[in-house]
Amino acid sequence: MRTHRRPRSAVPRRRVPRAALTTVLPTVLAAALLAGCAGAGAGGGGGPAGAGEPELGPVAVDPATASIALPMDAYTDTEAEAVRMGRVQEGLVSRCMARYGFTYEGTPAAPPGGAAGEDRHRYLFGLADPAYAAAHGYDKGAGGERRAKPPAPPLSDSAYAVMHGEQRGAGPGGRVPDARTEEEAAGTDSGIEAGGRKVPAGGCGREAYRKLYAPTKDSVDLLFAFGLASEAHDRSKRDSRVVEVLAKWSACMDKTGYTGIKSPYDVVEKLGLADDKGGTKAVAAATADVACKREVNLVGVWAAVEKAYQERLVEEHAETLALYERQRDARFALAASLA
């Protein structure tokens, strides 16, 4: 992609630290889905009125989560793809900032996490790996090196305006001009100039997002596929077969001394393990948790139910998903051309 830059003599170049973008990156989606699980309980009903509960395909016995394949996986980036798209998006931000005389320094994305990182459904039904439970309890970050990011120096007022498409300190009184798509942005005046050039609506952060994820008026929302996966999960939690297996799991936990826990998503909170997820108490609870899941085949049953609801939603939204898939392919092609 071509970008046009002013001569150095016209606009002095300044170095800009990495700033938080007002966009949603693909890597956020999985975390958001898991966060939505935390407040889930079992109830009645499994789908739209009159739809009834879907028939199930084969129910695997205590499957490893890495072996679980769900229909919406086809529309969801792998970790490697998400990392690559994140780098491309930061590159687009850099190009945009350069048009206004700034050098944007994005933080290099971490490399994919390997085989474990590609286990998309590792925690979809709560902790499920007995070896990990016995070694690390509920500490999801165990074994990985955690490095705190240094705080980013503040942006200058002019750099802030270019990055975000608004003046620093602008109160909530007025709506900042923005645009959902690049087509819309072409006719939207941000009301801000820098170096004699109009700043794009929403700033460089939004421009980079639109170029990748919303170039035209028929662009399907980036969160559409995630939304369907989340809806299928919500429906599955209310399915009678999942309600039944959760009751069995809860009864098993009662027998092991962990009473009153109704959902695998509640174990850490109910047992007060948040401050020591990898300690002795957490390891004991996690070991019992996973053993009970395997005793009642919770993962096998729930995965089969989840798959059935996803299949139903894929069929219901086939046309939009086909368009989403074509646009995703075009996005990857654009990313490759910018690499």
Side-chain angles (χ1 to χ4, degrees), residues 53-323:
E53 295 183 344
E55 294 184 7
L56 303 186
V59 178
V61 178
D62 295 326
T65 53
S67 71
I68 296 172
L70 298 175
M72 292 309 301
D73 293 349
Y75 308 95
T76 306
D77 289 357
T78 64
E79 184 180 1
E81 289 167 340
V83 167
R84 179 163 60 93
M85 296 304 288
R87 288 172 177 158
V88 170
Q89 188 169 350
E90 287 208 334
L92 288 171
V93 174
S94 296
R95 294 184 183 208
C96 177
M97 293 296 284
R99 299 202 307 262
Y100 300 91
F102 296 99
T103 297
Y104 171 78
E105 296 179 348
T107 300
E118 293 301 319
D119 186 350
R120 300 177 183 225
H121 310 300
R122 192 176 188 186
Y123 297 107
L124 184 57
F125 311 113
L127 185 63
D129 183 341
Y132 193 93
H136 307 296
Y138 293 100
D139 185 1
K140 296 178 182 179
E145 186 179 352
R146 295 178 177 178
R147 289 177 287 184
K149 293 181 180 179
L155 293 169
S156 69
D157 288 346
S158 55
Y160 182 97
V162 172
M163 176 64 80
H164 300 291
E166 64 179 351
Q167 299 293 349
R168 188 194 301 277
R175 182 176 177 81
V176 177
D178 197 357
R180 190 183 71 84
T181 68
E182 273 297 275
E183 283 185 348
E184 184 182 329
T188 303
D189 186 352
S190 69
I192 297 176
E193 288 191 6
R197 302 171 66 102
K198 282 287 187 182
V199 172
C204 286
R206 283 288 293 159
E207 178 184 274
Y209 173 84
R210 289 190 298 260
K211 284 183 181 296
L212 274 182
Y213 302 111
T216 60
K217 62 185 178 182
D218 69 342
S219 296
V220 180
D221 194 306
L222 173 62
L223 294 177
F224 181 75
F226 162 74
L228 292 184
S230 182
E231 182 177 348
H233 191 66
D234 286 342
R235 291 184 184 184
S236 75
K237 291 193 296 262
R238 299 189 296 270
D239 186 278
S240 63
R241 294 155 294 193
V242 171
V243 171
E244 180 181 2
V245 80
L246 281 172
K248 292 179 179 178
W249 170 85
S250 180
C252 177
M253 290 291 282
D254 285 344
K255 292 178 183 178
T256 60
Y258 300 101
T259 60
I261 303 174
K262 304 301 182 185
S263 166
Y265 308 127
D266 296 338
V267 178
V268 171
E269 180 183 356
K270 292 285 188 181
L271 297 181
L273 303 174
D275 294 330
D276 190 15
K277 295 179 182 178
T280 303
K281 184 178 177 182
V283 166
T287 301
D289 174 3
V290 174
C292 283
K293 284 190 177 84
R294 295 176 72 82
E295 180 177 314
V296 302
N297 195 26
L298 183 145
V299 174
V301 171
W302 202 339
V305 173
E306 184 106 356
K307 181 177 181 181
Y309 281 104
Q310 285 200 10
E311 287 173 341
R312 174 178 285 178
L313 286 170
V314 167
E315 183 177 352
E316 290 175 2
H317 299 276
E319 185 176 345
T320 304
L321 283 171
L323 177 59

